Amino acid sequence: MDSIGARLREERERLGLTQTELGEKAGVTKNTQRLYESDQRSPKADYLVAVEHVGVDTRYVLMGTHEEGQGEKEPRDLPEPANEDLSPVAMYDIEAAAGDGRSLEREEVESTMYFPTEQLAAQGLDPAQVVGVKVRGDSMDGTLADGDWVLVDRSSRDPHPEGVFLLLVHGERRIKRVQRVAGGAWLLISDNPRYEKELIKPQDMKDVEILGRCEIRIGKVL
């Protein structure tokens, strides 16, 4: 199979799904699925994430080679895509990650996704500084849902932040909205109003580390 569309069709047929069925699972129409398989349109990143969860081997679809194992890879060791217009992004499950101050690069990569380099650049993102993390729990409902993926810019570690960040708090990775308050303290806010805000006093800042800013959500269309 010498094209992305042909390999996508091959994977769909391997799973025993029709174009309509796979399209529904990925949140696209049968016509869009047909356009992807006929190489008349390139699959988008959120589509690829969705079909990977269904069982499609997206590495094979994009690169023409199958994954030989689930070994741990650091971002600099990620395989280069056959298409130079795509950039590899390591995807991590932050619940599975061990915490305790370890960098994400030492965790097991759950999967590798490939995103259009030009689109990442248009968002002001350097692909070498981007990782994906899976959202766990409902504390950020309204912004991020359980099971969503979010692309995190690791170069954005502003010591005076405002926005949604991946944080290391007391050795535990969390995604929270950060708001600065008087006196140099931070409020860690869960967008789900059922959760209380957490005040981080200046003297406790040593227990908090910014791992990166959450930039792009990839989730199921509800």
Side-chain angles (χ1 to χ4, degrees):
M1 298 287 180
D2 57 2
S3 76
I4 288 176
R7 292 191 292 270
L8 177 59
R9 183 178 67 251
E10 179 187 351
E11 282 293 285
R12 174 178 59 77
E13 293 174 348
R14 178 180 65 81
L15 295 170
L17 298 173
T18 65
Q19 288 183 334
T20 299
E21 290 170 337
L22 183 57
E24 287 178 349
K25 292 178 183 297
V28 302
T29 65
K30 176 184 177 181
N31 185 57
T32 298
Q33 181 68 33
R34 179 184 62 79
L35 292 174
Y36 288 163
E37 293 185 12
S38 61
D39 293 305
Q40 297 180 60
R41 185 180 298 177
S42 297
K44 295 183 178 179
D46 54 352
Y47 170 87
L48 293 170
V49 171
V51 297
E52 180 167 278
H53 285 300
V54 173
V56 171
D57 184 344
T58 54
R59 174 189 172 92
Y60 173 65
V61 170
L62 292 170
M63 301 175 60
T65 58
H66 290 284
E67 186 71 57
E68 297 181 354
Q70 297 297 322
E72 200 171 304
K73 298 184 182 72
E74 296 188 9
R76 64 176 179 270
D77 296 326
L78 293 176
E80 292 298 326
N83 186 338
E84 63 182 10
D85 295 329
L86 298 173
S87 294
V89 174
M91 312 295 282
Y92 300 91
D93 185 334
I94 61 173
E95 185 175 82
D100 297 328
R102 300 207 308 169
S103 64
L104 275 173
E105 290 87 345
R106 294 181 58 190
E107 303 295 352
E108 183 176 349
V109 176
E110 180 169 306
S111 61
T112 302
M113 296 302 301
Y114 296 85
F115 295 86
T117 303
E118 185 175 335
Q119 289 186 17
L120 292 176
Q123 297 293 324
L125 301 175
D126 175 0
Q129 294 295 327
V130 175
V131 296
V133 297
K134 182 182 288 184
V135 178
R136 292 295 191 173
D138 64 353
S139 69
M140 290 298 289
D141 270 3
T143 301
L144 299 168
D146 182 39
D148 282 352
W149 289 94
V150 61
L151 298 189
V152 177
D153 180 7
R154 296 180 300 163
S155 70
S156 184
R157 302 189 182 192
D158 185 352
H160 304 290
E162 293 279 351
V164 178
F165 289 83
L166 175 64
L167 305 166
L168 191 67
V169 184
H170 303 295
E172 178 184 355
R173 293 188 183 90
R174 304 181 192 173
I175 294 177
K176 297 294 178 186
R177 187 175 301 280
V178 178
Q179 179 181 320
R180 289 177 292 166
V181 295
W186 292 358
L187 272 181
L188 305 187
I189 301 170
S190 299
D191 287 355
N192 185 336
R194 294 195 298 109
Y195 290 81
E196 295 290 334
K197 298 176 182 179
E198 182 178 355
L199 179 67
I200 304 295
K201 299 178 181 179
Q203 60 267 32
D204 297 326
M205 289 296 180
K206 63 183 184 301
D207 297 321
V208 181
E209 179 185 352
I210 298 173
L211 300 181
R213 184 185 182 96
C214 299
E215 295 285 356
I216 299 175
R217 169 186 173 270
I218 303 169
K220 185 176 181 180
V221 177
L222 300 177

